[in-house]
Amino acid sequence: AGEDGVEAGQRAGVAVAVRRRDLGRRFAVAAGIGTLLVTLIALGIGYRQSQRILARVEAVSRTCKEIVGGNLAGRLPVAGDDDEFDTLAVEVNSLLARLARTTEILRTSLHSAAHDLRSPMHRMRLRMEQALGAEPPAGPERDTLELLLRDVDQMQRVLTALLQIAEAQRRQ
């Protein structure tokens, strides 16, 4: 009977060892499946985030191209996520707003200055033509007046070109 007890104990020990081995295999399989699932989920989240970031970078790039193309009213998109992209977009948009205001002030000043200079230049031209027409001076005085008339004509052409540029930019 003692041998039967030892034999039964050995069988029980073998059964426990087999169960432990089986439990170890099951644990290894479960751990492998869990690791695989966690890896797949992490890859999915990483891919989704990279696509989201890429879309934001493309939107910023597209807007920058429009701005470089002359659309100073363009602004970088702010997604409302309160992240680094939004912080950068807010700062760049503030800079673009200041740039647009400065550009508009320059356009207005240029347009105003060109208009303000046209009248005095026109009067100068008329006075020189009168000086040449009534009793025209002779010699160097006449040559000087003719040179001055050409200079005034050149300045009027420049002013006209500046006014055309200002007007064209205002229409954009």
Side-chain angles (χ1 to χ4, degrees), residues 5-115:
V6 170
E7 196 174 294
Q10 287 176 343
R11 274 186 275 163
V14 169
V16 167
V18 168
R19 271 191 243 137
R20 281 187 182 163
R21 221 178 320 164
D22 187 44
L23 188 59
R25 285 185 194 142
R26 286 183 183 177
F27 179 76
V29 168
I33 291 172
T35 302
L36 180 63
L37 287 174
V38 167
T39 302
L40 289 174
I41 289 170
L43 285 172
I45 291 171
Y47 178 76
R48 182 178 174 273
Q49 286 299 97
S50 69
Q51 291 301 308
R52 187 171 168 266
I53 289 170
L54 183 60
R56 290 189 74 181
V57 168
E58 286 174 352
V60 167
S61 177
R62 192 173 38 255
T63 304
C64 286
K65 286 178 185 173
E66 290 173 8
I67 293 167
V68 168
N71 178 13
L72 292 181
R75 296 294 179 266
L76 298 181
V78 177
D81 295 339
D82 199 30
D83 59 3
E84 291 81 6
F85 280 106
D86 282 352
T87 301
L88 180 64
V90 167
E91 290 298 320
V92 169
N93 288 345
S94 174
L95 173 70
L96 290 170
R98 286 194 316 259
L99 180 63
R101 282 192 304 272
T102 302
T103 301
E104 186 56 34
I105 289 169
L106 285 173
R107 283 181 190 158
T108 303
S109 298
L110 174 67
H111 192 262
S112 178
H115 270 294

Side-chain angles (χ1 to χ4, degrees), residues 152-164:
V152 168
D153 287 341
Q154 176 62 29
M155 287 189 288
Q156 285 179 323
R157 283 192 294 277
V158 169
L159 282 177
T160 299
L162 289 174
L163 283 170
Q164 289 170 346

Side-chain angles (χ1 to χ4, degrees), residues 142-159:
R142 179 177 183 80
D143 294 340
T144 300
L145 282 172
E146 287 173 352
L147 286 173
L148 287 172
L149 273 173
R150 279 190 287 236
D151 289 343
V152 168
D153 287 341
Q154 176 62 29
M155 287 189 288
Q156 285 179 323
R157 283 192 294 277
V158 169
L159 282 177

Side-chain angles (χ1 to χ4, degrees), residues 115-134:
H115 270 294
D116 290 348
L117 289 172
R118 286 185 100 175
S119 294
M121 289 181 69
H122 184 68
R123 285 192 302 271
M124 284 174 42
R125 184 174 204 336
L126 286 175
R127 288 181 186 136
M128 284 184 259
E129 285 175 349
Q130 288 172 350
L132 283 172

